[in-house]
């Protein structure tokens, strides 16, 4: 039979194990956020030196980061959570817009690839792979 002191020690050990597990999960999340921030900075550097972005929930807790570079090129990244996406954008120092319309959408430069894909999909062109 366990005494009260033994029970308290067991409870403390369970709490300590849970805290250590949470710390490891936080460390992994911080690393993923930092990696996303690096990708955002690299995108901005490659596409005119700066970028703007917009965050959108895409399901199952994941968040899309839509990026528009200063030169009008655009791209997307996906984060495991909204907090991670927002944190990465803040670390990278980009401006986040509420919506992907109006001024942000007007900055997007599309090329022949995008136009052929849009026309092909709408006019019965080849199916997406």
């Amino acid at each position: 039979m366990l005494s009260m002191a033994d029970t308290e020690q067991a409870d403390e050990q369970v709490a300590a194990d849970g805290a250590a597990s949470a710390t490891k999960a936080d460390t992994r999340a911080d690393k993923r956020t930092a990696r996303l921030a690096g990708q955002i900075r690299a995108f901005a550097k490659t596409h005119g030196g700066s970028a703007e972005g917009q965050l959108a929930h895409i399901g199952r807790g994941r968040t899309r980061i839509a990026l528009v570079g200063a030169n009008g090129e655009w791209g997307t990244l996906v984060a495991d959570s909204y907090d991670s996406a927002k944190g990465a954008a803040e670390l990278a120092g980009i401006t986040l817009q509420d919506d992907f319309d109006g001024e942000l959408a007007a900055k997007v430069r599309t090329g022949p690839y995008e136009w052929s894909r849009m026309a092909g999909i709408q006019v019965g062109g080849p199916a997406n792979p």
Side-chain angles (χ1 to χ4, degrees), residues 26-39:
D26 289 344
T27 301
R28 284 191 299 270
D30 291 344
K31 286 181 181 180
R32 285 192 298 266
T33 298
R35 187 173 29 250
L36 273 172
Q39 291 173 315

Side-chain angles (χ1 to χ4, degrees), residues 14 17 24-25 28 59 86 92 101 111-112 114 128:
V14 168
D17 291 345
K24 288 179 187 176
R28 284 191 299 270
K86 187 173 182 182
D101 61 6
E114 288 85 5
N128 288 331

Side-chain angles (χ1 to χ4, degrees), residues 106-117:
K107 293 177 183 180
V108 173
R109 184 176 56 105
T110 55
Y113 172 77
E114 288 85 5
W115 283 102
S116 67
R117 294 277 300 167

Side-chain angles (χ1 to χ4, degrees), residues 8 11-14 22 25 27 32 38 49 65-66 74 79 82 96 103:
E8 288 173 3
D11 290 343
E12 289 171 4
Q13 183 61 44
V14 168
T27 301
R32 285 192 298 266
I65 308 167
W74 60 280
Y82 183 86
L96 288 176
E103 290 182 32

Side-chain angles (χ1 to χ4, degrees), residues 20-87:
S21 180
T23 300
K24 288 179 187 176
D26 289 344
T27 301
R28 284 191 299 270
D30 291 344
K31 286 181 181 180
R32 285 192 298 266
T33 298
R35 187 173 29 250
L36 273 172
Q39 291 173 315
I40 293 169
R41 282 191 294 269
F43 176 88
K45 183 179 178 182
T46 304
H47 297 290
S50 66
E52 293 181 57
Q54 189 266 335
L55 306 181
H57 175 74
I58 57 174
R60 295 189 180 199
R62 301 186 71 141
T63 299
R64 180 192 69 205
I65 308 167
L67 299 168
V68 180
N71 65 357
E73 293 290 324
W74 60 280
T76 61
L77 294 168
V78 176
D80 291 335
S81 70
Y82 183 86
D83 290 339
S84 179
K86 187 173 182 182

